[in-house]
């Protein structure tokens, strides 16, 4: 386990409060951005703005131009006017960490949202965490049982894998995320609810987690109505909490809902400080942020602890070529695509095997099981490709042996892929079920 006392001393020295009198003056408000002069502070510094009537506002440094600092407030800057005093509180953001976080619901600044006293956390780390040398990472060589048949059997995941859950709106993404939360075997679950509807926070905790799941979970919530700076802070806080427990040797499941809303928060900040928009209005900083976040997860040093990360990605308008979807697929170790066509047919979970992949599956299964899983996927795909011909009776039986098998097994394949959201399917039983199903097809 890492010695967090020495780590804190080394990394958090930069966050100490600057000397007294280190203040400046607010000179301008443009959109969501405040401009201050007469003060020096690095990017990410935490500042306090005090108005002429004593109003106080927290803000973070998000950019600078010559002698001008750009700050973004955590709340609406109501009552703050020209000439307000800007004071540096700390040179970077930090997080209080400890086992007392388990079972708690906190906001982006680590403050409780569940009505309980603040958690007593003895350790302190910078929000950006500790970078890992890629040569020190352990391999992904252990199967992770997620309790969902389609994933266990056909998109097998490993401990420390990073996958994307890609879907449009209203196709069962939240239901599948809830199944993964309840059924996955993990020591600690860290959940980041970023930029989503506020009502979903309580619904997720009460209906999805429940008392048993909540006991081993930490929930960080920053809904859509909070500042984009707080949404980004909540994202980094979710990751540093997961890193903290991983470095204690725990197998952590981290769920981030959603990566797209994180990109939206960074887009708001980037455009506000003058970054040029590129693909679909996203500035370059978005495409630098997302891979850095993803690389913070995975297997720890020399296989000591792991973070299995599941990022939900919203395919806006069901566009699989959306730039956020594209960068997620390029950076992650696989993706699970959800199909609106399957959801409309009441096929849940609506996992589209044609667009889904696990890039570490071949390292986890023996050759026979891998061959069996691939044959299942091929039969499913062949039926979908020839569905129109089969439906109108244009396909002649005996023309293609594999298509004949796909037609004969269609109902059984579909039955296997469907699963009640309240019923878990363990990995070994799922694997045997696929073997039996494919053996029938071969006979």
């Amino acid at each position: 386990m890492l010695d967090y006392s020495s780590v804190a001393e080394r990394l958090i020295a930069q966050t100490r409060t600057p000397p007294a009198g280190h203040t400046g003056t607010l000179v301008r408000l443009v959109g969501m951005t405040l401009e201050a002069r007469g003060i020096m502070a690095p990017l990410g510094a935490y500042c306090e703005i005090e108005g002429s009537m004593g109003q106080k506002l927290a803000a973070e440094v998000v950019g600078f131009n010559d002698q001008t600092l750009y700050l973004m407030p955590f709340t609406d800057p109501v009552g703050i006017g020209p000439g307000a005093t800007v004071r540096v509180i700390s040179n970077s953001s930090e997080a209080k960490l400890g086992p007392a976080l388990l079972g708690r619901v906190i906001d982006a600044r680590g403050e409780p949202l569940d009505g309980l006293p603040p958690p007593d956390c003895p350790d302190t780390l910078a929000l950006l965490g500790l970078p890992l040398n890629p040569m020190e990472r352990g391999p992904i060589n252990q199967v992770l049982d997620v309790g969902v048949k389609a994933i266990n059997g056909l998109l097998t995941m490993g401990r420390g894998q990073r996958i994307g859950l890609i879907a449009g709106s209203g196709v069962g993404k939240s239901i599948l995320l809830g199944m993964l939360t309840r059924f996955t075997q993990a020591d600690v679950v860290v959940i980041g609810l970023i930029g989503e509807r506020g009502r979903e926070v309580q619904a997720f905790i009460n209906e999805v987690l429940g008392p048993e799941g909540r006991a081993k979970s930490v929930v960080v919530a920053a809904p859509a109505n909070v500042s984009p700076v707080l949404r980004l802070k909540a994202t980094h806080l979710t990751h540093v909490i997961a890193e903290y427990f991983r470095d204690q040797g725990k197998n952590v499941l981290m769920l981030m809902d959603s990566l797209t809303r994180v990109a939206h928060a960074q887009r708001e900040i980037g455009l506000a400080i003058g970054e040029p928009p590129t693909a679909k209005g996203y500035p370059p900083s978005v495409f630098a942020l997302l891979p850095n976040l993803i690389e913070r997860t995975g297997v720890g040093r020399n296989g000591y602890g792991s973070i299995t990360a599941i990022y939900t990605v919203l395919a806006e308008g069901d566009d699989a070529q959306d730039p956020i979807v594209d960068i997620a697929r390029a950076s992650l170790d696989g993706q699970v695509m959800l199909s609106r066509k399957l959801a409309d047919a009441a096929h849940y979970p609506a996992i589209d095997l044609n667009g889904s992949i696990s890039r570490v599956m071949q390292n986890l299964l023996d050759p026979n099981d891998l061959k069996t899983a691939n044959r299942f996927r091929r039969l499913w795909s062949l039926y979908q490709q020839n569905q129109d011909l089969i439906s109108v009776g244009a396909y002649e039986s005996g023309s293609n042996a594999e298509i004949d098998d796909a037609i004969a097994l269609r109902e059984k394949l579909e039955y296997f892929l469907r699963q009640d959201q309240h019923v878990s399917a363990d990995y070994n039983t799922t694997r045997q079920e696929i073997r039996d199903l494919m053996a029938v097809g071969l006979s």
Side-chain angles (χ1 to χ4, degrees), residues 43 51 58 68 117 146 211 405 426 442:
L43 288 175
T68 302
V146 300
D405 285 344
D426 71 87
L442 290 171

Side-chain angles (χ1 to χ4, degrees), residues 97-257:
L97 304 170
L101 288 171
L102 293 174
R104 302 302 303 273
V105 183
I106 58 177
D107 66 11
R109 289 179 279 185
E111 299 296 326
L113 292 174
D114 49 16
L116 299 175
D120 182 15
C121 298
D123 300 313
T124 305
L125 277 180
L127 276 184
L128 296 183
L130 296 169
L132 275 180
N133 184 332
M135 296 302 294
E136 294 180 354
R137 284 187 183 272
I140 301 174
N141 54 16
Q142 297 181 52
V143 171
L144 179 69
D145 187 349
V146 300
V148 178
K149 286 195 293 184
I151 298 177
N152 274 347
L154 305 169
L155 303 166
T156 309
M157 289 179 57
R159 288 195 183 279
Q161 186 173 353
R162 294 83 55 90
I163 70 163
L165 191 58
I166 302 173
S169 58
V171 295
K173 172 170 57 68
S174 297
I175 292 175
L176 179 55
L177 190 67
M179 294 171 68
L180 294 170
T181 304
R182 292 192 302 271
F183 301 154
T184 301
Q185 301 297 315
D187 300 321
V188 175
V189 179
V190 182
I191 303 163
L193 302 176
I194 312 297
E196 300 296 329
R197 292 179 289 270
R199 68 170 181 82
E200 292 183 342
V201 176
Q202 190 172 16
F204 188 91
I205 294 167
N206 295 333
E207 300 171 13
V208 175
L209 277 182
E212 184 177 349
R214 183 173 173 180
K216 65 173 185 178
S217 302
V218 185
V219 179
V220 182
N225 63 319
V226 305
S227 163
V229 173
L230 286 181
R231 279 177 264 154
L232 277 188
K233 287 174 74 71
T235 303
H236 289 297
L237 180 58
T238 302
H239 283 76
V240 79
I241 291 172
E243 290 170 323
Y244 174 80
F245 286 108
R246 176 190 64 190
D247 292 339
Q248 292 184 333
K250 305 287 187 183
N251 290 312
V252 180
L253 173 66
M254 192 195 79
L255 306 170
M256 178 64 67
D257 187 15

